[in-house]
Amino acid sequence: MYLHIGNDTLINKKDIVAVFDLDNSSWSHITRAYLTNAEKNGEVINAAGMEIPRSFVVTKTFDGKNRVYLSVLGSKTLLKRSLS
């Protein structure tokens, strides 16, 4: 099954490692360092388009690559969608 995270972006549910709320998690210097490092490594995919992202989804694909998807949807909304 797939999870729609906005702007025509689908993620395989079994690849999802974690879903984070940007407002609550970005105040931590560890989270900011992780996101900065992921962006430098080309692992960040902006699924929010021109809107302000509200959450990010960390995935690990079958070939071991990490991806960080920025989503315009909130983490609670993504959780509800993932359970259905």
Side-chain angles (χ1 to χ4, degrees):
M1 297 299 294
Y2 291 91
L3 176 64
H4 179 261
I5 63 167
N7 284 348
D8 298 328
T9 304
L10 297 172
I11 299 175
N12 195 334
K13 285 184 183 180
K14 61 184 171 185
D15 293 341
I16 297 174
V17 175
V19 178
F20 296 95
D21 181 66
L22 267 173
D23 288 338
N24 292 328
S25 61
S26 63
W27 64 267
S28 169
H29 70 281
I30 296 170
T31 305
R32 286 194 309 267
Y34 173 77
L35 291 173
T36 301
N37 189 37
E39 189 170 7
K40 286 180 185 177
N41 292 333
E43 299 172 348
V44 176
I45 298 169
N46 185 2
M50 299 301 293
E51 298 184 44
I52 297 172
R54 296 181 60 203
S55 63
F56 66 97
V57 181
V58 178
T59 65
K60 187 166 209 110
T61 59
F62 67 93
D63 56 358
K65 293 183 180 178
N66 292 329
R67 295 281 182 253
V68 178
Y69 292 87
L70 300 177
S71 175
V72 70
L73 301 174
S75 58
K76 289 183 181 179
T77 301
L78 292 174
L79 176 64
K80 288 178 187 176
R81 288 184 178 192
S82 71
L83 297 176
S84 61

